[in-house]
């Protein structure tokens, strides 16, 4: 069987990397659109470093700081209009997964006259603007994935599009920027990275190569999660692990934990990573029942003796509980079972199994 892996992002890693590698920005153009959330780019210090680097390179910029958590399609259309109006040559995302995913869509809308919903067809006449990412959370791995996940009120859910041009050309990974995260955001986003690595292994698309990335992420995450829970996070290791998990899902995608989690995020306002943390134990227990050999790979990489020990690690990252009524559990399961990635699950998942996971929250 043949395998392939494609991750065309140049990664620059370490403290002070934006300033040290400022020269990497030249060649992208004379005008940048900086895409951020409300305040994390400032709080983390990343925006100040980036402005200094742009100034040095004689590059001017415009800021679009309207990206909300779980960005909406409308926000991305608005960002695309600003990119066009200001004549941006490239886009720089500074933020967690939300600004990074929004920036991918903004880069498309900046160069393509398409109806908003057509972005999900991922068939673009013109190449999107080039993208640079500065992640401020260690969670999504969006800096190394071809995915953009957007909130779409028209379908009352989140929807994603994938395209090779969505990969960032350049990503600056500076662990200093993660220090301004709240404890809740830290726990939520670490749970997301963990979920990516676990789902990547427990998925039909998993290959020998994607497994290398996922297992490397799991080894690092399991060694640093006790420190995260104890309030002494190793930000450098977390950032590396999150990117490794991102590289794994770049190839495999995620599976049902993510598609079920979108229900909790859309309808119950649960942050993305926390939704995964809440659903993972139910998923892990079903994997133990249906695909124990595949689950053993996850247990080996995390050094956990059994499924319950793995669930305990996940529970330590669950910042707050969420419970659903019987009717909500049934309704969410009936929607989530229709997600595309259900076909990538390792066994023939039933709607009743999904409803049981939701009901057990
Ligand atoms: P996020 O939504 O980007 O940020 C969550 C909150 O944390 C925001 O209030 C943000 O503030 C704040 N924050 C982030 N970093 C901070 C920092 N360093 N200092 C202070 N505050 C900080 O969270 P995320 O979990 O990283 O991203 C979630 C999104 O990524 C979801 O939409 C999810 O679907 C998507 N995702 C994408 C992929 C992919 O492959 N593309 C994979 C998984 C998940 P601001 O509002 O000020 O920024
Ligand atoms: Fe995720």
């Amino acid at each position: 069987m043949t395998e392939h892996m494609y991750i065309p992002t140049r990664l620059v890693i370490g403290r002070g990397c934006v300033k040290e590698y400022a020269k990497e920005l030249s060649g992208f153009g004379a005008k940048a659109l900086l895409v951020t959330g409300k305040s994390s780019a400032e709080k983390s210090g990343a925006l100040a470093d980036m402005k200094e680097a742009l100034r040095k390179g004689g590059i001017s910029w415009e800021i679009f700081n309207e990206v909300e958590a779980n960005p909406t399609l409308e926000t991305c259309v608005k960002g695309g209009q600003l990119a066009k109006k200001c004549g941006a040559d490239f886009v720089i995302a500074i933020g967690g997964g939300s600004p990074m995913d929004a920036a991918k869509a903004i880069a498309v809308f900046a160069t393509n006259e398409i109806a908003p919903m057509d972005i999900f067809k991922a068939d673009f006449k013109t190449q999107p603007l080039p993208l640079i990412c500065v992640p401020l959370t260690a969670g999504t791995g969006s800096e190394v994935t071809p995915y953009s996940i957007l909130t779409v009120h028209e379908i009352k859910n989140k929807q994603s599009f994938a395209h090779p041009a969505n990969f960032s050309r350049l990503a600056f990974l500076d662990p200093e920027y993660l220090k301004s995260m709240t404890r809740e955001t830290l726990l939520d986003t670490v749970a997301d990275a963990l979920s990516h690595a676990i789902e990547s292994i427990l998925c039909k698309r998993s290959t020998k190569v994607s497994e290398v990335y996922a297992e490397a992420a799991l080894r690092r995450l399991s060694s640093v999660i006790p420190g995260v829970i104890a309030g002494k996070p190793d930000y450098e290791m977390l950032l590396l692990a999150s990117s490794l998990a991102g590289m794994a899902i770049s190839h495999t995608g995620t599976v049902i934990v993510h598609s079920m989690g979108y229900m909790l995020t859309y309808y119950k306002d649960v942050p993305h990573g926390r939704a995964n943390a809440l659903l993972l134990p139910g998923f892990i227990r079903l994997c133990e029942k249906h695909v124990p050999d595949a689950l053993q790979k996850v247990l080996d990489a995390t050094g956990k003796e059994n499924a319950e020990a793995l669930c305990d690690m996940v529970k330590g990252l669950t910042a707050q509980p969420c419970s659903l009524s019987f009717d909500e559990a049934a309704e969410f399961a009936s929607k989530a079972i229709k997600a595309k990635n259900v076909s990538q699950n390792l066994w023939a998942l039933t709607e009743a199994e999904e409803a049981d996971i939701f009901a057990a929250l």
Side-chain angles (χ1 to χ4, degrees), residues 86-299:
C86 75
D89 299 306
F90 63 110
V91 178
I92 304 178
I94 305 177
S98 297
M100 290 192 280
D101 283 9
K104 291 173 184 176
I106 288 169
V108 171
F109 286 128
T111 58
N112 288 274
E113 288 296 335
I114 51 171
M117 285 301 281
D118 282 348
I119 199 164
F120 299 108
K121 292 181 185 159
D123 179 18
F124 312 125
K125 282 211 175 74
T126 317
Q127 279 289 303
L129 293 179
L131 173 68
I132 295 174
C133 282
V134 185
L136 303 183
T137 61
T140 69
S142 182
E143 68 279 4
V144 288
T145 74
Y147 312 120
S148 170
I149 299 142
L150 307 177
T151 298
V152 185
H153 293 306
E154 207 173 311
I155 59 159
K156 290 189 170 11
N157 204 342
K158 296 179 84 172
Q159 191 167 347
S160 65
F161 71 96
H163 194 277
N166 276 351
F167 278 109
S168 67
R169 302 273 179 95
L170 175 63
F172 293 101
L173 272 53
D174 186 334
E176 286 296 313
Y177 300 152
L178 306 190
K179 290 185 176 168
S180 50
M181 266 191 284
T182 61
R183 178 173 169 79
E184 286 203 342
T185 301
L186 173 66
L187 292 177
D188 294 343
T189 52
V190 171
D192 191 25
L194 182 66
S195 198
H196 294 161
I198 292 176
E199 289 176 74
S200 181
I201 290 177
L202 296 166
C203 157
K204 278 188 195 164
R205 276 201 211 98
S206 179
T207 66
K208 288 193 284 301
V209 181
S210 68
E211 249 178 47
V212 170
Y213 290 99
E215 287 173 354
L218 286 177
R219 276 197 301 278
R220 282 161 184 78
L221 287 169
S222 60
S223 76
V224 296
I225 282 174
V228 168
I229 293 167
K232 290 182 189 136
D234 178 340
Y235 290 110
E236 191 156 7
M237 190 66 93
L238 285 169
L239 202 45
L240 180 59
S242 156
S243 281
L244 286 166
M247 292 174 199
I249 60 164
S250 277
H251 181 74
T252 61
T254 50
V255 274
I256 63 164
V257 178
H258 267 65
S259 48
M260 292 174 75
Y262 297 157
M263 299 288 113
L264 299 184
T265 298
Y266 191 84
Y267 290 99
K268 307 295 275 186
D269 214 17
V270 178
H272 172 69
R274 195 177 311 164
N276 297 332
L278 287 160
L279 296 162
L280 266 173
F283 175 66
I284 290 166
R285 290 186 188 115
L286 282 179
C287 289
E288 185 187 25
K289 177 176 157 198
H290 292 290
V291 286
D293 292 348
L295 182 67
Q296 192 57 46
K297 292 180 189 172
V298 176
L299 297 178

